[in-house]
Amino acid sequence: AHSVETWKNDQLVGGLYGISLGGAFFGESMFHHIPDASKLALYYLNEGIKKWGFDFIDAQTPTAHLKSMGAKNISRERFLKLLEKSMKKPTKTRSWA
């Protein structure tokens, strides 16, 4: 499990958490106390997983918030193919810092 947090003046103001398995990240929840704080966390998560060769982020539920950041719905068939490919990759463990 991993969290990506946004801080302002030593206060946690937003973020997200999820599970990393193989080449996939499964987002579980996002929150914010100030506007766009969770979007910033998602941006940095996306930059990190691209750098590490991940295949996708599973955001589970399409929302206007996620769609505004480029999230797309895919078919179950495509998801299962991506998942099969991603599970062949080693899971990135330990701290992501």
Side-chain angles (χ1 to χ4, degrees):
H2 297 276
S3 67
V4 181
E5 303 158 355
T6 52
W7 294 78
K8 182 177 182 181
N9 300 326
D10 295 324
Q11 285 196 313
L12 180 64
V13 295
L16 59 88
Y17 73 93
I19 305 293
S20 165
L21 290 172
F25 185 85
F26 301 89
E28 294 297 324
S29 187
M30 298 175 74
F31 75 96
H32 67 274
H33 295 296
I34 64 171
D36 300 326
S38 62
K39 288 180 182 176
L40 187 60
L42 182 58
Y43 170 82
Y44 281 103
L45 170 67
N46 191 53
E47 290 300 301
I49 67 167
K50 283 192 300 189
K51 180 175 71 175
W52 300 320
F54 277 59
D55 297 315
F56 65 93
I57 298 172
D58 175 16
Q60 299 177 12
T61 305
T63 65
H65 177 76
L66 293 172
K67 286 179 181 179
S68 75
M69 303 225 19
K72 299 175 189 164
N73 288 335
I74 62 172
S75 69
R76 178 173 175 77
E77 179 181 355
R78 178 146 188 249
F79 174 77
L80 292 175
K81 286 179 182 177
L82 283 170
L83 184 61
E84 182 178 4
K85 174 187 167 198
S86 295
M87 291 302 108
K88 293 176 182 173
K89 293 183 175 182
T91 298
K92 183 169 175 49
T93 59
R94 305 200 186 261
S95 173
W96 288 5

